[in-house]
Amino acid sequence: MNDPDFRLGQRVCMINAGKSPQIGTVRYLGTVQGHEGAWVGVEWDTDEGRHDGSVNGVRYFETKSPLSGSFVRPRSLSVGVSLLDAITLRYKTVAASDSESDDMYVMSVRQLRVAVELVGKAQVEERQRHLENLKVATLTYAGVCSAGPLGQVRAACPSITELDLTGNLLPDWHEVSRICEELPALQVLDLSSSRLALDSASPFLALSNLTTLVLNNCALQWTQVNVLKASLSCIQELSLCRNDMQAIEADSESSTLDEPYVSGFDSLRLLNLDDNNFESWHEILKLSRLKSLEQLNLNGNKLLQIFYPDPFGKGDDASATSKGECPVTPFPTLRCLLLGRNKLSDWSSIDALDRFPSLQEVRLSDNPITVPGNGMATRYMIVARIGKLSSLNGSEVKPRERRDSEIRYARHLLMNMQMSSISDISKAHPRFEHLRVLHDIPLDLQRGGTISATQKMSSSLL
């Protein structure tokens, strides 16, 4: 099959695929037994194919999923367009003024169309047609496969600062680097639903202007993220949702340590790992030395437990001090930790959050420990057990709520653990004694003795 438009590993999309775009990678070029003509074997990004690369007992290519392969006629596939062609088609092509499909309308009570004019629409469209002034470009599923000729995009669209290329046909990270080089003002780039080849043997261009990168649903593992690290020296926000990640591979320079960790990413403030497959908190701890990390999103994973590690790793504090080593504070700047939709079920995980030195915002909704009706954690208990908490599940914790929660929590423990010593209570509830003293709660509540009217009144006033 000598068709110059196709090559193995090339990204393609179906022409007229219907409502949902079909994007895949070329895995085979040639003939198929029992069928005339030339065929393209495609592995689709989703399970929208018909087989696993084999037909009638003959294997033509391999797929990762049993239903992600198909054979397609070449005429039914598109190999994509350049970035400038996609921008021009999206923003500069003017539809016919009398095109009914472009009209905006609502239906009246008599089911008649009533035209609606969008205020400012003409001005917005006029600004967008001047590509040299275009700052935000949205090209989702636009078939972009290359940066195009050198200097072409830079000359036409030098002002773009945000670019959304979700679901396009870029083949590898080198082509992404070319796009970034063509757009010197680019700061935000979304490459979600891409399949980008990463060759660690070839260095990538340093993208010092890029501050936000979105790589959701790109079938990436952390080893590939490590390959990109050197070119993302100034990245501040990195999103890696829905990549089926289960492990974080530490850097080679830290592999000899008791607790290997991820280094670099010195400017990274927000890391989004929502909807992956992390089960062990030990994997997340490999991120604990990211010195600028302020927000870590871990919603929708499978985490069973959280704990705050020893600042010296697995070593003994006294031993490390005698050797002159300085303790390393894990997650020193982490202010926001989102843990919704995991499998946390024990109080020790809640208490561990109180040890994070800068943590103020937490999400714990939809975990077993917070499910209503299970007799588990209620809001006031969580607020009382995490001393610096200012926001829980997106709701602000105000000073009045904190005071009420802490008093209620300490009194609850005294009233319900009457057979336990104060030291036993403190072991199971690390903040108990601090809260009891802070709010002047008498021990008589535990002993079940007579409490004076003054004590009753003082301990109940807010």
Side-chain angles (χ1 to χ4, degrees):
M1 177 177 177
N2 298 317
D3 191 331
D5 289 335
F6 295 97
R7 63 183 184 275
L8 295 180
Q10 187 174 25
R11 299 284 287 164
V12 293
C13 64
M14 281 285 289
I15 299 173
N16 300 323
K19 293 183 179 180
S20 62
Q22 269 191 288
I23 300 175
T25 304
V26 175
R27 300 300 185 199
Y28 174 81
L29 298 170
T31 60
V32 177
Q33 290 184 15
H35 301 273
E36 296 182 353
W39 295 87
V40 180
V42 180
E43 180 181 10
W44 303 108
D45 293 350
T46 57
D47 292 345
E48 297 177 338
R50 302 185 64 180
H51 49 71
D52 62 354
S54 62
V55 176
N56 296 328
V58 179
R59 177 160 298 282
Y60 297 90
F61 59 96
E62 299 282 348
T63 65
K64 295 180 180 179
S65 176
L67 287 175
S68 60
S70 294
F71 286 104
V72 187
R73 293 292 188 186
R75 63 178 178 272
S76 299
L77 295 172
S78 169
V79 297
V81 297
S82 72
L83 177 60
L84 184 58
D85 287 342
I87 291 175
T88 302
L89 183 65
R90 169 67 178 81
Y91 291 101
K92 206 166 184 178
T93 302
V94 182
S97 59
D98 60 347
S99 174
E100 184 178 302
S101 61
D102 288 342
D103 290 341
M104 294 186 64
Y105 62 88
V106 295
M107 301 301 292
S108 70
V109 292
R110 297 182 179 180
Q111 297 302 303
L112 298 175
R113 292 186 180 186
V114 178
V116 175
E117 181 180 356
L118 182 63
V119 177
K121 178 183 177 184
Q123 291 90 332
V124 171
E125 290 178 343
E126 182 61 27
R127 286 198 301 269
Q128 290 176 338
R129 291 183 193 120
H130 293 280
L131 298 184
E132 68 275 11
N133 299 324
L134 186 65
K135 293 185 179 298
V136 179
T138 302
L139 300 171
T140 57
Y141 297 96
V144 176
C145 66
S146 72
L150 181 65
Q152 186 183 66
V153 175
R154 181 190 291 260
C157 314
S159 302
I160 292 179
T161 60
E162 298 183 25
L163 179 61
D164 187 349
L165 290 175
T166 297
N168 279 274
L169 306 179
L170 295 170
D172 52 44
W173 192 255
H174 289 290
E175 204 62 41
V176 174
S177 298
R178 288 192 60 222
I179 289 176
C180 293
E181 189 177 17
E182 288 285 308
L183 300 173
L186 187 64
Q187 298 178 8
V188 180
L189 178 61
D190 191 341
L191 296 168
S192 296
S193 300
S194 299
R195 297 293 183 271
L196 298 165
L198 296 170
D199 181 8
S200 58
S202 303
F204 300 117
L205 180 71
L207 309 177
S208 57
N209 54 327
L210 207 61
T211 60
T212 300
L213 178 62
V214 182
L215 294 169
N216 299 337
N217 189 33
C218 289
L220 290 174
Q221 296 302 310
W222 194 265
T223 51
Q224 296 165 294
V225 177
N226 274 334
V227 172
L228 297 175
K229 180 169 58 177
S231 65
L232 300 173
S233 58
C234 296
I235 203 73
Q236 297 179 21
E237 299 186 10
L238 178 61
S239 185
L240 300 167
C241 303
R242 303 188 304 281
N243 278 296
D244 197 29
M245 288 186 181
Q246 300 178 26
I248 293 178
E249 290 78 14
D251 298 339
S252 57
E253 58 264 31
S254 71
S255 60
T256 58
L257 300 179
D258 289 337
E259 292 288 353
Y261 62 91
V262 172
S263 63
F265 291 114
D266 291 343
S267 301
L268 187 64
R269 295 186 296 102
L270 186 154
L271 178 59
N272 191 343
L273 294 172
D274 283 351
D275 299 306
N276 280 284
N277 277 313
F278 292 108
E279 296 183 15
S280 172
W281 185 249
H282 286 283
E283 297 299 325
I284 307 304
L285 286 180
K286 296 174 185 177
L287 304 169
S288 64
R289 297 197 188 186
L290 296 178
K291 62 182 183 181
S292 299
L293 189 64
E294 297 178 3
Q295 179 168 336
L296 180 57
N297 296 6
L298 292 165
N299 297 305
N301 281 276
K302 300 176 181 178
L303 295 169
L304 299 169
Q305 186 184 29
I306 297 169
F307 58 90
Y308 190 77
D310 186 330
F312 287 97
K314 292 183 179 179
D316 176 77
D317 284 16
S319 173
T321 303
S322 67
K323 294 178 182 178
E325 298 178 11
C326 295
V328 177
T329 302
F331 295 111
T333 58
L334 190 65
R335 181 187 55 81
C336 178
L337 181 58
L338 305 185
L339 294 161
R341 295 182 287 114
N342 277 276
K343 296 184 178 181
L344 303 176
S345 60
D346 63 286
W347 277 111
S348 62
S349 294
I350 306 297
D351 291 330
L353 297 175
D354 186 54
R355 299 188 61 196
F356 286 70
S358 304
L359 192 62
Q360 298 178 30
E361 300 179 35
V362 172
R363 179 173 294 278
L364 292 166
S365 53
D366 298 314
N367 277 278
I369 196 169
T370 62
V371 173
N374 281 1
M376 301 301 284
T378 59
R379 180 178 172 90
Y380 87 87
M381 292 181 178
I382 297 173
V383 170
R385 296 177 87 132
I386 308 176
K388 294 180 290 292
L389 201 63
S390 63
S391 175
L392 176 60
N393 297 334
S395 177
E396 181 184 0
V397 178
K398 296 182 178 180
R400 176 63 180 266
E401 181 187 5
R402 169 157 297 286
R403 176 179 168 81
D404 289 351
S405 297
E406 291 177 348
I407 291 174
R408 182 181 177 187
Y409 172 66
R411 289 170 63 90
H412 170 81
L413 293 180
L414 284 170
M415 295 292 290
N416 289 275
M417 300 184 70
Q418 294 187 11
M419 302 303 294
S420 303
S421 66
I422 297 300
S423 61
D424 288 340
I425 297 177
S426 296
K427 287 179 182 178
H429 303 271
R431 298 197 74 224
F432 164 72
E433 184 61 16
H434 168 73
L435 297 179
R436 189 191 69 78
V437 174
L438 176 66
H439 298 294
D440 192 26
I441 300 174
L443 291 174
D444 302 64
L445 286 174
Q446 187 198 35
R447 293 194 295 267
T450 304
I451 305 174
S452 68
T454 303
Q455 288 177 316
K456 287 183 179 179
M457 179 173 292
S458 65
S459 63
S460 61
L461 289 176
L462 300 179

